[in-house]
């Protein structure tokens, strides 16, 4: 499962941060997931507890913020909201040129003790 691998990366970030900033327990992990990233928030929630076992984030609360997809449409000359990478521009039905936002998956913050 793709999400399992991603959560492994999140685990790595948490472990490194704990070492660097010398905290021992994480109470809350905030993740940002772009709507166009293909990452399923539900699947991330599902594997969180298992992957975070034996780390400072064991038993922590997972919060997921979904970032809406935005693309630049050359035809309209502006940014438009899209929900998938293959979706046309909602205003002119042309294919938007460049994804501006929504491809990311990152750790936004950690609340530590
Ligand atoms: Zn357009």
């Amino acid at each position: 499962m793709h999400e399992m691998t991603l959560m492994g990366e999140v685990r790595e970030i948490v472990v490194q941060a704990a070492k660097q900033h010398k905290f021992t327990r994480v109470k809350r992990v905030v993740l940002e997931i772009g709507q166009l990233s293909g990452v399923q928030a539900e699947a991330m929630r599902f594997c969180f507890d298992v992957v975070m076992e034996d780390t400072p984030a064991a038993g922590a609360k997972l919060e997921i913020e979904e970032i809406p997809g935005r693309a630049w449409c050359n035809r309209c000359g502006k940014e438009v909201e899209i929900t998938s990478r293959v979706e046309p521009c909602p205003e002119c039905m042309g294919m938007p040129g460049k994804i501006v936002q929504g491809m990311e998956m990152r750790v936004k913050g950690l609340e530590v003790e």
Side-chain angles (χ1 to χ4, degrees), residues 1 7-8 11 17 32 57 73-74 87-88 92 94 102-103 106 110:
M1 196 163 63
M7 198 47 94
R11 176 195 168 109
E32 261 184 355
C73 178
N74 286 325
E87 193 183 286
C92 71
M103 296 286 287
R106 65 183 191 99
L110 299 174

Side-chain angles (χ1 to χ4, degrees), residues 84-105:
S84 104
R85 261 180 281 179
V86 292
E87 193 183 286
C89 166
E91 314 225 348
C92 71
M93 300 315 274
M95 283 312 287
K98 194 171 156 283
I99 306 291
V100 178
Q101 173 190 288
M103 296 286 287
E104 57 274 75
M105 196 297 288

Side-chain angles (χ1 to χ4, degrees), residues 29-108:
V29 177
V30 185
L31 287 188
E32 261 184 355
I33 298 179
Q35 273 184 351
L36 308 178
S37 65
V39 179
Q40 300 291 322
E42 277 320 301
M44 291 298 269
R45 278 185 213 285
F46 185 76
C47 57
F48 181 75
D49 287 341
V50 178
V51 176
M52 292 303 163
E53 254 175 43
D54 303 319
T55 75
K61 196 166 165 276
L62 174 65
E63 230 169 78
I64 293 179
E65 293 182 9
E66 290 196 73
I67 308 299
R70 296 191 71 84
W72 177 260
C73 178
N74 286 325
R75 234 153 109 187
C76 298
K78 64 179 175 185
E79 235 181 75
V80 293
E81 199 156 308
I82 54 170
T83 54
S84 104
R85 261 180 281 179
V86 292
E87 193 183 286
C89 166
E91 314 225 348
C92 71
M93 300 315 274
M95 283 312 287
K98 194 171 156 283
I99 306 291
V100 178
Q101 173 190 288
M103 296 286 287
E104 57 274 75
M105 196 297 288
R106 65 183 191 99
V107 178
K108 190 185 178 195

